């Protein structure tokens, strides 16, 4: 009987621990505010360079062409490899796309480095704390942007992208922090807030970057103004995080709480906390109950990003081939997608279950693929319908998968698991643009998008048949 009572008391204690809010409502709102502001600063700074890539890479190419340096350079070697790649296709590729392909190659390099670094950054945050890992990541970001400011040649610019790829950890650490301070019922809405930062930044950041590129303040680096402003934002973000962001890793916050309790006991004449208080302060020993395997979540993330990033990268080729779109017209189309995604994340996505978001977004991407396959040059109606569907996808899938991944991780392994999840997505983004464009130029737009739609149907089948809704525990307030 005594043993049975003890087991019942232990079970009740574990239930109270699991249903207790991770932090108070006021503290959660404070941390979310810090996350939102810092992510906006980070992502706006990150998106400055996106519309500048074509002109920026043209500048370095023309700079090397006009220089009298003998022998091959890093840039000439990359361009030679891309030309070799182009010559494999049955139909010629317009030389207009040389710079686009170079930008895609640099994007794939950045994603590859992110795939390598993300698991390491995540595990370090589990061991040494989210705050310390994030501030160390920011030091690398500052160095990366500072190299861009000083990039009067392509080698320096390439070094800035390598450093940035290896040190960028803001998004995955923000996701881990958001999971630390949210119970199961709050997780989807919190992840939607992180996703909203993406949509807002990608709506306004590229336009700001393009505007800053018109102000030339450095003779040897015509894009120094945009780079300098980006550096100001990153430094401001770092100072703000150092000043405002508390530690959220549960094991470290409990250690701090325990040390404060011991200090209080000494001030009260050495009276130690009761056994019950000590037990309550310890992390629960209840085993993590997993609904979805990490292998399935990571594979679905990888597969989705392979197809989706290929579609994203090929969209500029499609709009040029069919409608002779300029860079500014493509920018407005991307702004349209970002604006719709922002509205959806602020209103609808945060109210839906993460698994519903994933299924809705993958279904929208599948329809977008098939619509793009059926487009012709006579009308742009299907293009804008497909763009609206891509906005739904942008607002839902990655946000939902991040939430589902965070459900399956214990507090002490959350950083590493989310890092592995991000690495799976970045691996897909490394392969997707090159792979899909290879298919695009080899068999043509119609069949390429049809095949992409069929591939996304496979991802849809996995989301419907393999993934299940996690058992959610609502915090008692």
């Amino acid at each position: 009987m005594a043993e049975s009572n003890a087991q019942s008391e232990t079970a009740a204690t574990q239930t109270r621990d699991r249903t207790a809010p991770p932090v108070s409502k006021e503290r959660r709102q404070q941390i979310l505010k810090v996350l939102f502001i810092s992510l906006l600063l980070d992502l706006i700074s990150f998106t400055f360079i996106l519309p500048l890539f074509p002109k920026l890479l043209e500048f370095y190419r023309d700079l090397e062409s006009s220089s009298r340096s003998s022998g091959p350079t890093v840039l000439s070697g990359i361009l030679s490899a891309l030309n070799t790649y182009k010559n494999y296709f049955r139909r010629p590729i317009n030389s207009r796309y040389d710079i686009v392909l170079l930008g895609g190659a640099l994007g794939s390099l950045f994603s590859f480095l992110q795939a390598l670094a993300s698991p390491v950054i995540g595990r370090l945050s589990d061991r040494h704390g989210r705050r310390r890992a994030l501030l160390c990541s920011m030091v690398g970001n500052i160095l990366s942007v500072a190299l861009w400011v000083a990039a009067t040649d392509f080698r320096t610019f390439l070094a800035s992208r390598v450093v940035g790829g290896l040190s960028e950890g803001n998004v995955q650490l923000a996701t881990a922090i958001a999971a630390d301070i949210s119970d199961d019922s709050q997780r989807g809405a919190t992840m939607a807030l992180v996703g909203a930062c993406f949509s807002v930044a990608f709506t306004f950041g590229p336009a700001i970057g393009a505007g800053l590129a018109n102000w030339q303040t450095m003779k040897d680096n015509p894009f120094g103004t945009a780079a300098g402003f980006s550096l100001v934002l990153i430094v401001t973000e770092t100072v703000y995080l150092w000043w405002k962001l508390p530690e959220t890793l549960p094991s470290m916050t409990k250690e701090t709480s325990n040390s404060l309790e011991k200090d209080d006991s000494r001030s009260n004449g050495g009276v130690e906390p009761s056994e019950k208080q000590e037990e309550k302060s310890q992390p629960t020993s209840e085993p993590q109950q997993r609904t979805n395997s990490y292998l399935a979540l990571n594979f679905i993330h990888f597969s989705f990003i392979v197809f989706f990033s290929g579609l994203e990268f090929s969209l500029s080729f499609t709009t040029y081939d069919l409608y002779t779109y300029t860079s500014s017209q493509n920018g407005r189309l991307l702004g349209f997608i970002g604006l719709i995604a922002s509205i959806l994340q602020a209103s609808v996505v945060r109210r839906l279950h993460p698994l519903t978001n994933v299924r809705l977004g993958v279904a929208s991407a599948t329809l977008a693929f098939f619509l793009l396959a059926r487009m012709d040059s006579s009308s742009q109606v299907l293009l804008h319908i497909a763009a609206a569907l891509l906005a739904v996808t942008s607002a839902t899938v990655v946000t939902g998968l991040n939430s589902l991944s965070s459900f399956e991780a214990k507090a002490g392994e959350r950083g590493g698991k989310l890092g592995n999840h991000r690495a799976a997505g970045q691996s897909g983004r490394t392969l997707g643009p090159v792979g899909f464009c290879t298919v695009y130029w080899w068999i043509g737009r119609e069949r390429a998008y049809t095949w992409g739609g069929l591939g996304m149907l496979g991802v849809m089948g996995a989301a419907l048949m393999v993934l299940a809704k996690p058992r959610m525990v609502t915090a008692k307030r």
Side-chain angles (χ1 to χ4, degrees), residues 37 77 93 130 221 223 242-243 289 299 304 307 358 395 462 473:
I37 294 174
I93 300 175
R130 314 284 189 230
N221 184 358
F223 304 95
W242 177 81
W243 181 36
Q289 297 183 2
F299 179 75
F304 166 76
F307 292 108
V358 172
V473 179

Side-chain angles (χ1 to χ4, degrees), residues 258-268:
N258 289 342
S259 65
L260 289 175
E261 285 182 5
K262 290 179 181 178
D263 289 342
D264 288 343
S265 71
R266 283 194 293 267
S267 65
N268 290 329

Side-chain angles (χ1 to χ4, degrees), residues 31 152 190 224 368:
I31 295 173
T152 57
T190 306

Side-chain angles (χ1 to χ4, degrees), residues 272-292:
E272 294 293 335
S274 68
E275 241 176 58
K276 187 175 181 180
Q277 288 173 323
E278 287 180 359
E279 181 182 336
K280 189 176 180 179
S281 69
Q282 298 300 320
T284 177
S285 60
E286 184 181 9
Q288 181 72 16
Q289 297 183 2
R290 303 194 193 280
T291 305
N292 299 300

Side-chain angles (χ1 to χ4, degrees), residues 156-397:
T156 307
F157 177 74
L158 182 61
S160 77
R161 301 304 293 169
V162 170
V163 172
L166 291 173
S167 60
E168 173 63 47
N170 305 54
V171 174
Q172 73 177 79
L173 292 176
T175 303
I177 291 170
D180 288 339
I181 62 173
S182 305
D183 63 34
D184 291 357
S185 65
Q186 300 166 330
R187 196 73 52 83
T190 306
M191 296 300 175
L193 180 66
V194 174
C197 292
F198 268 93
S199 299
V200 172
F202 276 80
T203 300
F204 299 105
I208 297 172
L212 290 170
N214 295 324
W215 296 355
Q216 186 171 343
T217 57
M218 298 174 64
K219 179 181 177 181
D220 295 330
N221 184 358
F223 304 95
T225 303
F229 198 78
S230 179
L231 182 60
V232 169
L233 290 183
I234 290 295
V235 171
T236 302
E237 179 193 0
T238 304
V239 174
Y240 179 68
L241 287 171
W242 177 81
W243 181 36
K244 288 290 189 179
L245 182 68
E247 182 54 64
T248 63
L249 182 64
S251 62
M252 296 187 72
T253 55
K254 285 176 180 176
E255 286 173 8
T256 303
S257 175
N258 289 342
S259 65
L260 289 175
E261 285 182 5
K262 290 179 181 178
D263 289 342
D264 288 343
S265 71
R266 283 194 293 267
S267 65
N268 290 329
V271 179
E272 294 293 335
S274 68
E275 241 176 58
K276 187 175 181 180
Q277 288 173 323
E278 287 180 359
E279 181 182 336
K280 189 176 180 179
S281 69
Q282 298 300 320
T284 177
S285 60
E286 184 181 9
Q288 181 72 16
Q289 297 183 2
R290 303 194 193 280
T291 305
N292 299 300
S293 76
Y294 267 105
L295 180 62
L297 286 168
N298 291 346
F299 179 75
I300 290 173
H301 193 198
F302 168 80
S303 303
F304 166 76
I305 293 294
V306 164
F307 292 108
F308 186 69
S309 63
L311 186 154
E312 282 182 315
F313 189 65
S314 66
L315 195 59
S316 62
F317 303 137
T318 298
T319 54
Y320 177 73
D321 286 341
L322 288 178
Y323 313 116
T324 62
Y325 263 29
T326 63
S327 297
S328 61
Q329 286 175 304
N330 276 323
R332 286 196 291 271
L333 182 65
L334 294 177
F336 169 73
I337 293 173
L339 180 61
I340 294 178
S342 301
I343 294 171
L344 289 174
Q345 284 173 325
S347 56
V348 178
V349 174
R350 59 191 300 269
R351 292 181 171 87
L352 298 178
H353 191 282
L355 183 56
T356 303
N357 281 324
V358 172
R359 290 170 175 170
L360 174 63
V362 174
S364 297
T366 304
L367 290 174
F369 265 108
F370 289 128
L371 287 177
L372 290 173
R374 295 177 61 84
M375 284 193 315
D376 57 43
S377 57
S378 62
S379 173
Q380 298 185 28
V381 173
L382 290 181
L383 173 64
H384 286 88
I385 294 175
L389 289 169
L390 292 176
V392 175
T393 303
S394 299
T396 52
V397 178

Side-chain angles (χ1 to χ4, degrees), residues 117-128:
S118 294
V120 177
I121 293 172
R123 285 194 292 269
L124 289 175
S125 78
D126 285 336
R127 180 176 300 177
H128 302 290

